[in-house]
Amino acid sequence: MPGGKTKPSPQPKAVAVRAPRPSGGSFVGLDIGSQTIKVVEVTGSGSGLRVTAFGIDKTPLGTISQGVVSDPKTLGAAIKALLNKSGVKARGKCVSAASGAAAVVVRVIEVPKMSLSELAETMKWEVERHIPFSATDVEMSYQKIDDPAVDADEANPNMEVLLACAQRDMVFAHLETLKAAGLTPVAIDVEPLAVGRALINLSSQGLKDKNVVVVNLGASMTDVGIFKQATLRFPRTIPLGGDNFTQAVADRLGLPMDAAEDEKKQNGKIFMDLVNQPTDGGGIFGSAPTDAGISSPFDVDLAAPLPPSLYSGGEGGGGEVPAGDNPFDISYDNPFDTPGAPAEAAPVAALAPETAPVPEDPRTTRQKEVFYALSPVLGEFVMELQRSIDYFKSRYPTENIDQVLLCGGSASIPGLADYVQYQTGLTAVVADPFAGVNVTARQVSLDARAQMAPALAVAMGLATRDAVLGAGR
């Protein structure tokens, strides 16, 4: 921004929970998704921050409907079982996330410049313009985005506000679930802020001073958050997620959804050398070419008689071919041939044996089948991501994007970061929310942890909420 760097503004207050926020000790971050439940336990603060436990388990069927908890008791029991299995000991300080496009709205809106007291009164009415449900049945939080350049620009009459709203019934069901799990909630946050906290605020790569796109691929939707110097400036939800990838595999390979999900996890891979190649046709690489209708300059009908002129040098003809009149007879034109000398047989070079093609590994063949199933959804996904980036650039034309961070369960598909980087022209990496902290948890191997880490970004951001926000007090 002209005039210097933008000072990151404080994160908005959490939605719905009015209890005072405890400081210090151990916190549990709980991310309840439609397909999986993720939990992270964090202890300490600053350079002494430690991840002491984490885990993932499946969400019981029928307990969540359109992002809203429909069976708090069953879901609470499943969460309690996950806490025990993962070795989570802290139960008194839980930060969880409200999610679901039908029940939660997170937006950056523009309002005329005004004082904070005026803003408080304005937001009571402004909220109705930005939510798809009744404004009388919501829990709302907002935060003015501090931007010195905008505040000092007298020609700009507006300022930006980060707004978060959640349906009250959804919040109550969420709190009932936490109670059934034996957890004491201290805050209910929103996912875009939590994931940014884990991947940007805790980053050791200096991302707090850069413009970063965070892409969180969930099961039914993808959250795109574009952060300008650690402040969320453009949140968007794309109605496309891991379930769409699974459905594409099921449709192309003729599999039920459970088998397609396993196929996606085991054989999902992006082949960059096949990107942008046609994928239709009968086989993996499309239909094989056919000889029908192809004319070659070397095609010869061996059954047809030679033209008469080749026999007699004139029209009509027939009979023997006179020596020297055969256009294919070069015996006397050969500079190495002595006239009248008997012809010697020319040596015949030995032909190299043909090398048989190496058959493709069966797993590679299967991975390519899965890749072609995923290709249409990947194309739609990156198109929507590009639209989000283009919108940000239109609002902030002097700003560039420094990096794209991918997280969520489907971010672990091998080659996805390379695909996004190729299609957008921006540096893209799969994020590790544990990269900037000390992990003392030993429940799983390092390989398993690396595979799980992208899916734990939201839970990590929730668990570190007090550590990050407390540092700003």
Side-chain angles (χ1 to χ4, degrees), residues 32-216:
I32 305 172
S34 60
Q35 295 291 334
T36 57
I37 308 165
K38 284 80 67 177
V39 62
V40 172
E41 182 184 54
V42 168
T43 300
S45 61
S47 60
L49 203 61
R50 293 181 294 117
V51 175
T52 52
F54 60 86
I56 300 177
D57 210 344
K58 290 185 177 181
T59 303
L61 291 175
T63 56
I64 294 181
S65 177
Q66 296 183 336
V68 179
V69 177
S70 56
D71 188 347
K73 289 186 178 179
T74 301
L75 183 56
I79 293 171
K80 181 181 290 188
L82 174 60
L83 297 174
N84 293 333
K85 183 171 68 173
S86 303
V88 174
K89 294 181 171 55
R91 306 295 170 97
K93 299 176 184 177
C94 174
V95 181
S96 57
S99 61
V104 179
V105 170
V106 181
R107 286 185 183 168
V108 173
I109 63 175
E110 273 194 341
V111 298
K113 289 179 179 177
M114 61 185 74
S115 67
L116 294 181
S117 59
E118 291 173 327
L119 180 62
E121 187 65 27
T122 298
M123 291 304 295
K124 294 177 183 178
W125 315 107
E126 186 71 23
V127 64
E128 296 182 7
R129 300 176 50 218
H130 301 282
I131 60 175
F133 35 81
S134 173
T136 61
D137 189 33
V138 299
E139 296 287 345
M140 176 186 71
S141 186
Y142 60 89
Q143 176 70 52
K144 175 185 177 294
I145 296 177
D146 293 328
D147 191 328
V150 172
D151 294 340
D153 185 2
E154 296 182 359
N156 186 350
N158 296 329
M159 64 183 188
E160 290 184 322
V161 176
L162 183 55
L163 171 69
C165 297
Q167 281 186 311
R168 191 168 287 121
D169 288 345
M170 183 277 289
V171 173
F172 289 161
H174 192 94
L175 293 173
E176 190 176 346
T177 301
L178 298 181
K179 181 179 179 181
L183 292 167
T184 301
V186 296
I188 297 179
D189 213 332
V190 289
E191 291 188 0
L193 296 178
V195 73
R197 192 179 302 130
L199 303 183
I200 298 175
N201 291 84
L202 296 178
S203 169
S204 59
Q205 306 300 315
L207 295 182
K208 287 189 290 185
D209 297 323
K210 297 182 178 180
N211 298 333
V212 181
V213 181
V214 179
V215 183
N216 180 21

Side-chain angles (χ1 to χ4, degrees), residues 323-324 329-341:
D329 186 357
I330 60 170
S331 59
Y332 294 104
D333 294 329
N334 189 342
F336 301 100
D337 189 18
T338 303

